Amino acid sequence: MDRSVAGRIGTTLPKLDVPVQDDPPKNLLRESLEMPELSESEIVRYLTQISTFNFSIDHNFYPLGSCTMKYNPKVNDDIAALPGFSEIHPLQEESTVQGALKLMHHLQNILADITGMAGTSLAPMAGAEGELAGMLMTRAYHQRNGDTKRTKILVPDSAHGTNPASAVMAGFEVISLNTDSKGNTDIEALKYVLSDEIAGFMLTQPSTLGLFDTNILEVVNMVRDVGGIIYGDGANLNALVGKLKPGDLGFDILHSNLHKTFTQPHGGGGPGAGAVMVSERILPFLPTPVIDRQIDKSNSEFYSFTRPEHTIGKMGAFHGNFGALVRAYAYIRTLGKQGVPKVSEDAVINANYIRTQLKGIYDLPYDRTCMHEVVFSARNLKRDYGVTALDVSKRLIDYGIHPPTMYFPLIVEEALMIEPTETESKETIDEFIDIMKKIAQEAEDDPGLLKEAPHNTPNTRLDEALAAREPDLRWNK
Amino acid sequence: MNPSEFKFSEEHEWVNSTNNGEFTIGITDFAAGTLGDVVFVELPEVGSEIKQFEKFGEIESVKAVSDLFAPISGTILKKNENLTSEPELVNQDAYGDGWLITIAPKDLTELDSLMSSQDYGKFTESQSH
Amino acid sequence: MSADQNTDLKFTSPYTPNTKNDRAEMLKAIGVKTVDDLFRDIPENYLNPELKIPDAISEMELVQEMEELAGLNAVPGDYASFLGSGAYRHFIPSIVNRLALRSEFMTCYTPYQPEVSQGTLQAHFEFQSMVCQLTGMDVANAGMYDGSTALSEAVLMACRVTKKSAINVLDSVSPQYKEVLKTFLDAPGIKMDSLKDGMASSNESHACLIVQQPNYFGYFEDLTTLSDDIHKAGGLLIVLTDPISLGMYKTPADYGADIVVAEGQSLGISTSYGGPYVGLFACKQDYIRQMPGRIVGRTKDTNGETGYVLTLQTREQHIRRDRATSNICTSVGLIALMSTIYMISQGKQGLKHIANLCYQKAHYAAAQINDIQGYSVNLDRPFFKEFVISCPISPAKINKRLLSKKIIGGIDVSSQIKNGMLVCITETNSRQEIDSLVTALREISAEIGSDEK
Ligand SMILES: Cc1ncc(COP(=O)(O)O)c(C=O)c1O
């Protein structure tokens, strides 16, 4: 680091409290190690200063579609930091970690109940890993049945990129499926591709368009009729918790992004947790470990790891992102059965409120009741004033609001995907609506203002082409 | 303007004969514009065979990847080495310095299945709506 | 259940600000009567299912309940712990958590909007740089889920680079990691061969050879020979390493490694019952377009000022979808940040010092234990902070007795080494703890001696 000054130290060094041992073999030792040399005060100031360059949920409204940027309760961070949770070692004997196992067991049951499924594994470390686990279970299920010709997975064209990527990692070929003009699965297209080579359908419900697929029961039946597995990408569970159990509709596998719906702070890109829930017939294939509860003769309970009979195996070195599981559990405990449905209700009210207030100002490609998020298009502004979704997004920054998700889903041109979440007040949302209206007006009056935005950030727009053409990925020393 | 002597494919590649019986291949100005700032081009080795309408490489912008499809079949004689350090040439001069490869063509009748400059102009017009 | 039961919910939560009035106003503006009018797309029979989860509780009750649960776990401090095997207890300076807990770092998303994410981006750039410094490699990404998935992704990458579909794994690689490899490699049909200790046998079918250095049992492998072996066969050398060891030992790059992965947990992350951790992933410059995961690059803004962005994104799932180099999206940004702070804070002197403390204490312990009647430790082969004790009886039995003496013993590796117990000593193990372990082992040896008589 160019700030380093030779001789400075950032922390005090503990002294050696055992007699000095023989030197290690010289030929194994490195000659030099160039690492930063800064005092603690300099480090704190440097990192504190750069932290203020970030927008964050605690400072800003952050309606980033598909990412469920809701408020993260502070108490959950304190709880995860309790030494009894944060300092235990993953390989401690079961008898010494009964509290941790009990918590995980409760969380397994709660998630199974909320989603209407038969069992849970908490092992996957993010949504995408949950998808991979789901696809591997799909594969293992068919193979177990001797059904080896099922090599294809259906994925809607509106799906998140992790869906096709995960299916391929599990050895499948991806068949992309069209969305119809209402934003539902195109039933005719589905009929056309269904066959006994279909291993399953990866379905996001509500879809990434923020819409609940009204063909859902028909789709589930059609896919199951040809022997396929229904995999649910539950990243959008925030629209459904307490209002609908996907398992009731016939889903076989569902992953939940606990870091979205159940508030693990997003940390600038993780950690996450991508628990998978499954129906009865998929139970034997769950990733390991699964936590089991036994009652012994003296009526005391004991929690232990089990390995599902035909498990697809381990998803990581240990038992999943425990710290994230603690937070998710604490969150659900606080809300309880009264609070959980309120999450999705308020998320859906807030999104529909935005939808109706901004309709006509921004194009609404699918003009119907939405769920927890609404996808607008800036194509009208582009057509009329040459202003893009990117320009609108960057201008929002000037008003202290984090941009929505842009250019996703890919099937909506100039997409602006807005997810307010339930943790925002009506006042915040009204203010956002006003600002969005104002920006649309600015697009007409002074498009340059949008094109040059943002104006008050530490950097103006950055040259991403330069970054990709001449990758400069580290400092050198 | 698309050069009048070039031939064009629906996948937005152009091909043009050079004096000595070789053919040069690139992507069109329209395609380069749609892609945005080109940051990387992946081309096959000299000597390898390409087949009409089949994939022979990839071109990347910051936020998109596109397959490159051969407008005609042939054997690769040269590839544009300048694109390694200056991929932006594709944006700056798609029909000139931004060329991709030259080939020894296999079957000149394949050219008949391509579009003229005028037809390609109409084709892109219909595409941009 | 009546369809609209939830509309008049009495329950209020501090996390959902909409009051009954707010809701009514918003529903009116939307043009519907009830909340459930917004859920009409859901087939009616399925709406508003019964939940079996417990009732809501207050923050105070929550804290009490969670403290109780946490209290059921045995914690180092109350116990002396000698567990390692992929998760290590090292001292964490206060600034690591204090800085990482800042709202600005903790409650932001992946830095897709660079103008409002320079804090995260710049920190990731520091992370990548220091991972390169430590490992000696050219480039590093911004982190993977953990060391085991970093290794699995490294193998997939080696297969892409070499266009081969078999790999060779030295049998001294962590069994947990090998299990994860199996999960990742079965489906794409990548065959895993196992290479016996030190015997060079890579062949042309092998995309890579995986070596753990120091190995699972704590000992150093002859990387020079192994590197030659795989490179002659035309494959890549993947080294799984311990970042703390790199404070003093040669880098994998010194031996010609092509890809280096590691569990980054020991760099300032609490053991937290196995996660979240951070996988380190570094490689040679030639392979950057085949790398998985996020990468931050330095660039200029429209005013010519330096700034940072996510770069080479065309490798990733949101652009290349089914042809992406990996499916990873959400990674472990915050944990990478914490390890960044740790590395800056330890810095040039600290990292070397910590490595040396681990070395000295582990060697002190090993020599003491080797002197106890009935126990032996291989002291001839170089090791770092972990080593295997050959015990007089099964380690499981010993561990049980240790636990009653408030000591959490090592890992039972008797399936690989007869009565083997793998122990780990870090700078956090005081001499007193080590001595108490030695005393306890001696007592146990005496006890079983008399038990058996
Ligand atoms: C719809 C959808 N599916 C899957 C994912 C992947 O989840 P993760 O980022 O946790 O891997 C995301 C989020 O990024 C998503 O929005």
Side-chain angles (χ1 to χ4, degrees):
Chain A
M1 226 190 313
D2 45 14
R3 295 158 200 271
S4 291
V5 173
R8 287 196 183 148
I9 57 166
T11 186
T12 46
L13 309 176
K15 54 179 181 296
L16 184 64
D17 59 357
V18 300
V20 177
Q21 307 292 303
D22 290 344
D23 283 343
K26 274 247 148 35
N27 65 332
L28 290 179
L29 299 182
R30 70 189 291 164
E31 269 156 32
S32 65
L33 172 62
E34 291 303 334
M35 290 297 268
E37 299 187 82
L38 294 175
S39 65
E40 178 170 322
S41 51
E42 289 171 297
I43 300 167
V44 170
R45 187 163 297 157
Y46 168 52
L47 286 159
T48 304
Q49 278 179 356
I50 65 170
S51 81
T52 66
F53 302 160
N54 280 354
F55 271 23
S56 63
I57 269 289
D58 286 355
H59 279 208
N60 311 85
F61 180 41
Y62 214 121
L64 192 64
S66 207
C67 302
T68 314
M69 293 298 282
K70 60 168 81 175
Y71 170 73
N72 313 114
K74 298 300 167 202
V75 64
N76 298 350
D77 297 334
D78 288 347
I79 288 169
L82 290 172
F85 292 138
S86 67
E87 294 196 10
I88 46 179
H89 190 284
L91 298 175
Q92 277 178 232
E93 276 177 41
E94 287 164 350
S95 66
T96 69
V97 286
Q98 284 295 297
L101 295 176
K102 186 172 177 177
L103 183 151
M104 290 168 79
H105 186 259
H106 283 352
L107 184 59
Q108 282 175 188
N109 288 345
I110 286 174
L111 291 174
D113 180 42
I114 289 178
T115 58
M117 308 297 269
T120 306
S121 167
L122 303 170
M125 293 181 281
E129 233 208 356
E131 293 170 22
L132 176 62
M135 288 294 100
L136 291 173
M137 287 191 274
T138 301
R139 183 171 172 274
Y141 171 80
H142 290 309
Q143 289 200 335
R144 194 79 217 157
N145 292 337
D147 207 350
T148 51
K149 61 182 177 307
R150 295 190 183 269
T151 53
K152 297 180 179 142
I153 290 283
L154 298 172
V155 181
D157 53 6
S158 59
H160 195 261
T162 49
N163 288 191
S166 301
V168 166
M169 282 176 85
F172 289 115
E173 182 191 335
V174 170
I175 310 280
S176 177
L177 201 62
N178 288 347
T179 302
D180 73 13
S181 59
K182 294 206 199 76
N184 293 327
T185 305
D186 187 329
I187 294 286
E188 286 311 309
L190 179 61
K191 266 186 202 146
Y192 183 77
V193 294
L194 281 180
S195 76
D196 58 2
E197 291 181 3
I198 299 297
F201 188 0
M202 284 186 107
L203 186 72
T204 309
Q205 187 70 305
S207 71
T208 63
L209 295 164
L211 303 174
F212 192 90
D213 191 333
T214 50
N215 295 334
I216 186 69
L217 290 175
E218 199 178 349
V219 169
V220 169
N221 285 334
M222 285 167 70
V223 174
R224 289 194 131 196
D225 279 350
V226 301
I229 293 285
I230 302 286
Y231 177 89
D233 175 335
N236 293 343
L237 208 55
N238 213 51
L240 300 180
V241 284
K243 298 300 282 182
L244 172 77
K245 300 184 175 185
D248 292 349
L249 301 180
F251 281 59
D252 291 293
I253 309 175
L254 182 82
H255 90 258
S256 167
N257 283 3
L258 301 187
H259 48 297
K260 296 182 177 172
T261 313
F262 303 111
T263 71
Q264 158 79 31
H266 230 290
V276 278
M277 281 65 67
V278 299
S279 64
E280 205 72 41
R281 62 171 170 165
I282 308 294
L283 279 176
F285 304 96
L286 276 173
T288 186
V290 171
I291 317 303
D292 192 25
R293 173 171 180 261
Q294 290 121 24
I295 306 285
D296 69 11
K297 285 182 224 99
S298 61
N299 221 9
S300 58
E301 53 183 18
F302 189 79
Y303 295 88
S304 60
F305 289 118
T306 56
R307 204 181 157 86
E309 191 182 358
H310 307 301
T311 179
I312 55 162
K314 279 170 86 81
M315 303 306 297
F318 302 111
H319 336 297
N321 279 343
F322 181 72
L325 304 178
V326 173
R327 287 179 172 87
Y329 179 71
Y331 179 68
I332 299 171
R333 277 302 277 128
T334 306
L335 294 179
K337 69 151 121 8
Q338 296 82 358
V340 166
K342 196 169 186 312
V343 166
S344 42
E345 291 183 1
D346 282 331
V348 170
I349 293 174
N350 286 352
N352 277 290
Y353 185 64
I354 293 175
R355 175 179 63 85
T356 50
Q357 304 309 301
L358 288 179
K359 185 181 157 182
I361 295 168
Y362 295 86
D363 268 7
L364 193 58
Y366 300 92
D367 186 5
R368 49 182 265 213
T369 303
C370 65
M371 297 300 284
H372 65 308
E373 61 196 0
V374 53
V375 180
F376 284 101
S377 166
R379 66 189 170 197
N380 56 325
L381 299 186
K382 187 172 177 192
R383 181 192 59 223
D384 298 342
Y385 318 115
V387 162
T388 63
L390 179 79
D391 300 328
V392 172
S393 296
K394 299 299 184 194
R395 182 64 180 153
L396 270 170
I397 293 172
D398 286 340
Y399 292 101
I401 292 172
H402 191 282
T405 295
M406 326 172 290
Y407 301 99
F408 177 77
L410 304 178
I411 57 171
V412 173
E413 110 191 65
E414 297 296 323
L416 287 168
M417 183 194 219
I418 298 168
E419 180 180 11
T421 84
E422 76 283 5
T423 64
E424 298 300 330
S425 68
K426 179 168 181 294
E427 293 85 335
T428 302
I429 291 176
D430 279 333
E431 197 188 325
F432 170 71
I433 290 165
D434 285 346
I435 289 168
M436 285 296 282
K437 288 181 179 164
K438 197 164 163 200
I439 291 175
Q441 189 60 46
E442 288 172 350
E444 185 178 344
D445 299 343
D446 185 4
L449 193 62
L450 275 64
K451 297 242 154 261
E452 280 159 27
H455 296 86
N456 309 318
T457 44
N459 283 107
T460 54
R461 287 192 202 183
L462 289 139
D463 190 343
E464 299 192 39
L466 173 68
R469 282 174 189 149
E470 297 166 26
D472 177 9
L473 312 180
R474 56 177 291 194
W475 43 257
N476 278 297
K477 175 81 199 205
Chain B
M1 266 319 283
N2 302 317
S4 56
E5 65 282 17
F6 287 22
K7 292 282 222 170
F8 300 85
S9 73
E10 287 188 3
E11 275 100 13
H12 307 286
E13 275 83 19
W14 56 262
V15 56
N16 183 36
S17 78
T18 57
N19 312 338
N20 44 10
E22 297 170 6
F23 280 72
T24 306
I25 290 172
I27 69 163
T28 66
D29 216 23
F30 175 83
T34 313
L35 260 175
D37 291 332
V38 172
V39 298
F40 185 69
V41 188
E42 189 180 297
L43 298 170
E45 290 313 309
V46 168
S48 50
E49 304 275 325
I50 62 171
K51 243 187 158 155
Q52 189 178 31
F53 304 140
E54 285 185 9
K55 180 185 164 175
F56 72 91
E58 276 183 0
I59 185 160
E60 293 181 7
S61 64
V62 174
K63 298 251 163 86
V65 189
S66 289
D67 288 339
L68 295 166
F69 293 97
I72 56 170
S73 311
T75 309
I76 299 186
L77 302 172
K78 263 187 287 186
K79 54 180 184 177
N80 188 348
E81 303 287 353
N82 291 336
L83 297 182
T84 318
S85 55
E86 289 175 274
E88 58 269 33
L89 289 173
V90 177
N91 297 106
Q92 289 162 3
D93 191 7
Y95 298 118
D97 290 346
W99 63 278
L100 302 177
I101 49 176
T102 56
I103 63 166
K106 193 164 166 210
D107 177 2
L108 288 179
T109 64
E110 285 178 352
L111 288 167
D112 300 341
S113 55
L114 300 175
M115 284 178 273
S116 68
S117 169
Q118 208 176 17
D119 289 345
Y120 180 70
K122 282 191 204 131
F123 175 72
T124 51
E125 201 135 301
S126 71
Q127 287 237 315
S128 35
H129 293 291
Chain C
M1 293 224 142
S2 84
D4 292 332
Q5 59 161 4
N6 291 316
T7 317
D8 291 325
L9 216 62
K10 299 238 172 32
F11 175 82
T12 50
S13 138
Y15 315 139
T16 44
N18 283 353
T19 60
K20 207 171 143 189
N21 264 346
D22 294 331
R23 281 182 161 212
E25 269 180 50
M26 291 168 97
L27 289 173
K28 191 159 167 236
I30 296 167
V32 294
K33 290 211 175 63
T34 67
V35 183
D36 279 352
D37 286 341
L38 297 174
F39 288 86
R40 294 284 170 233
D41 286 343
I42 294 179
E44 207 180 328
N45 324 348
Y46 298 97
L47 194 62
N48 296 326
E50 191 191 341
L51 287 180
K52 292 201 205 68
I53 63 178
D55 287 340
I57 53 175
S58 70
E59 180 167 332
M60 186 183 82
E61 289 154 331
L62 175 73
V63 170
Q64 286 166 347
E65 185 183 304
M66 297 299 273
E67 278 175 346
E68 208 170 294
L69 273 179
L72 296 176
N73 302 323
V75 182
D78 297 340
Y79 290 76
S81 172
F82 298 93
L83 287 173
S85 310
Y88 303 99
R89 197 160 162 257
H90 289 283
F91 180 74
I92 304 171
S94 281
I95 67 166
V96 172
N97 288 313
R98 287 294 290 270
L99 288 171
L101 277 170
R102 283 184 65 85
S103 289
E104 297 87 339
F105 283 134
M106 186 111 173
T107 71
C108 54
Y109 200 73
T110 303
Y112 285 129
Q113 293 284 347
E115 299 87 352
V116 291
S117 311
Q118 286 300 305
T120 298
L121 287 162
Q122 194 163 335
H124 283 356
F125 185 81
E126 301 284 4
F127 173 83
Q128 291 172 186
S129 303
M130 289 187 288
V131 170
C132 289
Q133 294 298 123
L134 266 183
T135 58
M137 302 304 283
D138 301 330
V139 286
N141 72 13
M144 307 300 288
Y145 302 132
D146 77 356
S148 74
T149 64
L151 178 64
S152 303
E153 294 267 17
V155 168
L156 296 175
M157 176 169 138
C159 290
R160 286 194 297 276
V161 166
T162 59
K163 302 192 167 67
K164 296 177 185 181
S165 60
I167 66 161
N168 205 2
V169 185
L170 203 63
D171 63 357
S172 57
V173 168
S174 155
Q176 284 108 2
Y177 279 44
K178 276 194 264 188
E179 259 201 77
V180 178
L181 275 177
K182 195 168 156 353
T183 308
F184 276 78
L185 303 187
D186 261 6
I190 295 168
K191 192 169 141 273
M192 206 162 38
D193 290 333
S194 186
L195 181 57
K196 277 264 170 305
D197 199 7
M199 306 238 297
S201 76
S202 297
N203 64 46
E204 269 160 28
S205 77
H206 291 140
C208 61
L209 169 66
I210 305 174
V211 182
Q212 184 171 354
Q213 176 87 324
N215 70 23
Y216 178 67
F217 305 104
Y219 293 92
F220 283 87
E221 297 289 352
D222 177 6
L223 259 182
T224 310
T225 308
L226 292 164
S227 174
D228 266 6
D229 173 58
I230 185 64
H231 286 138
K232 276 197 193 113
L236 308 187
L237 175 65
I238 299 180
V239 176
L240 166 64
T241 186
D242 168 6
I244 293 292
S245 75
L246 297 177
M248 64 191 262
Y249 289 100
K250 270 194 180 149
T251 69
D254 291 332
Y255 300 98
D258 299 285
I259 309 174
V260 176
V261 293
E263 175 51 70
Q265 174 271 330
S266 35
L267 301 170
I269 315 303
S270 57
T271 47
S272 188
Y273 204 46
Y277 292 172
V278 51
L280 313 186
F281 192 109
C283 68
K284 288 188 172 159
Q285 179 79 27
D286 286 354
Y287 307 133
I288 59 175
R289 283 176 190 278
Q290 288 298 336
M291 278 171 97
R294 301 224 156 89
I295 299 178
V296 172
R298 186 158 52 185
T299 185
K300 298 273 184 224
D301 68 13
T302 52
N303 293 333
E305 299 288 336
T306 297
Y308 303 84
V309 291
L310 290 175
T311 194
L312 302 172
Q313 290 189 62
T314 47
R315 299 164 300 112
E316 292 184 69
Q317 46 73 30
H318 59 286
I319 294 176
R320 206 179 283 257
R321 298 176 75 83
D322 53 339
R323 290 189 290 164
T325 57
S326 165
N327 66 341
I328 193 168
C329 176
T330 292
S331 179
V332 287
L334 189 73
I335 313 296
L337 170 76
M338 291 163 84
S339 67
T340 304
I341 303 166
Y342 179 88
M343 287 188 277
I344 300 179
S345 163
Q346 292 296 353
K348 183 174 170 141
Q349 296 192 38
L351 286 163
K352 188 172 175 187
H353 184 76
I354 297 298
N356 184 49
L357 287 182
C358 293
Y359 171 88
Q360 299 285 347
K361 292 186 176 207
H363 284 72
Y364 168 75
Q368 301 283 311
I369 293 167
N370 188 47
D371 282 347
I372 311 173
Q373 175 79 40
Y375 297 86
S376 70
V377 177
N378 181 352
L379 298 175
D380 297 333
R381 188 167 172 187
F383 63 94
F384 173 47
K385 67 179 181 192
E386 292 177 280
F387 55 88
V388 176
I389 308 172
S390 297
C391 303
I393 55 166
S394 93
K397 287 188 185 151
I398 294 187
N399 274 336
K400 224 173 184 169
R401 293 181 194 232
L402 286 175
L403 202 58
S404 68
K405 298 171 194 283
K406 292 262 170 192
I407 294 173
I408 296 174
I411 309 284
D412 183 346
V413 292
S414 47
S415 60
Q416 290 115 311
I417 294 169
K418 185 156 183 276
N419 286 341
M421 182 197 283
L422 171 58
V423 296
C424 169
I425 316 267
T426 72
E427 83 282 5
T428 60
N429 295 109
S430 63
R431 177 175 187 166
Q432 202 186 350
E433 281 184 359
I434 297 170
D435 290 345
S436 71
L437 173 68
V438 173
T439 309
L441 289 174
R442 187 176 294 123
E443 284 167 10
I444 291 168
S445 158
E447 282 162 29
I448 50 171
S450 54
D451 283 359
E452 263 149 36
K453 264 167 214 160

